[in-house]
Amino acid sequence: LLRASLPLTPRAPLEVFYASQTTLQVLQKKLKSSEDIDRRLIVRLEHPEDLDDDEVLVPVDMRAAGGEFDSVGQMLRVLGPNRSAQAFVKAQELFESRMDAEEQAQPTTAGALRAALEEAEDFDEEAEEDAIYGDAGLASDDASPSKLRRRV
């Protein structure tokens, strides 16, 4: 799951997950009318890379899910589609009810989230290179470990 823990005091940390606002609205409508939930709707929540860049993602607090799940797939296996949908709707309600407006994580778009994840991944790779190669006393950017590795 795409999660971020945001520490809050005195409350427990949030389990923030960014979910498609459109998909959440569809789930709410189906639950309200007692329709069965297609598991593909739930699976869509786990894959923001499949969404259009301008799709709005809203933060939800997955503590409302009623258990520790490593993935949406695991949640589906344990809870089934209808209870998983209920968990996501409750997670959205919990997030909205527990935070002051200035403390809340803000909605974003799928494109912005993908860009942030790529940037974080690039940062992690650079940190790993620094940990492995160190700066080797090299002063110029042309001699950075990543550029040296490309030359080898």
Side-chain angles (χ1 to χ4, degrees):
L1 296 173
L2 293 173
R3 290 190 200 180
S5 287
L6 300 176
L8 290 179
T9 51
R11 301 178 215 160
L14 292 174
E15 290 284 328
V16 175
F17 178 91
Y18 283 89
S20 163
Q21 183 176 39
T22 303
T23 303
L24 285 171
Q25 290 168 344
V26 169
L27 292 174
Q28 288 171 331
K29 182 180 174 186
K30 287 183 175 287
L31 288 170
K32 195 173 201 173
S33 63
S34 300
E35 292 180 47
D36 282 336
I37 305 296
D38 186 328
R39 71 184 309 107
R40 291 176 293 193
L41 274 175
I42 306 297
V43 170
R44 284 184 58 195
L45 293 169
E46 188 171 31
H47 299 286
E49 65 272 9
D50 296 338
L51 300 173
D52 292 336
D53 282 347
D54 59 347
E55 175 75 26
V56 176
L57 302 177
V58 294
V60 299
D61 185 350
M62 293 308 293
R63 291 179 300 166
E68 291 288 324
F69 301 104
D70 293 329
S71 68
V72 173
Q74 180 188 26
M75 178 187 282
L76 272 168
R77 285 188 299 279
V78 173
L79 300 179
N82 284 19
R83 288 182 49 217
S84 294
Q86 290 169 347
F88 272 102
V89 170
K90 286 180 184 175
Q92 182 181 23
E93 292 168 356
L94 178 63
F95 183 85
E96 290 172 352
S97 71
R98 296 287 307 249
M99 297 290 293
D100 294 329
E102 71 262 6
E103 292 177 330
Q104 281 191 359
Q106 297 298 312
T108 188
T109 63
L113 183 62
R114 279 192 293 274
L117 291 172
E118 287 172 11
E119 185 177 311
E121 189 174 292
D122 290 345
F123 178 78
D124 288 344
E125 288 174 8
E126 288 176 23
E128 184 178 340
E129 283 180 1
D130 288 346
I132 293 170
Y133 300 107
D135 68 7
L138 305 172
S140 85
D141 286 340
D142 291 335
S144 71
S146 60
K147 289 184 181 180
L148 284 174
R149 189 162 7 124
R150 285 188 211 122
R151 290 186 204 155
V152 175

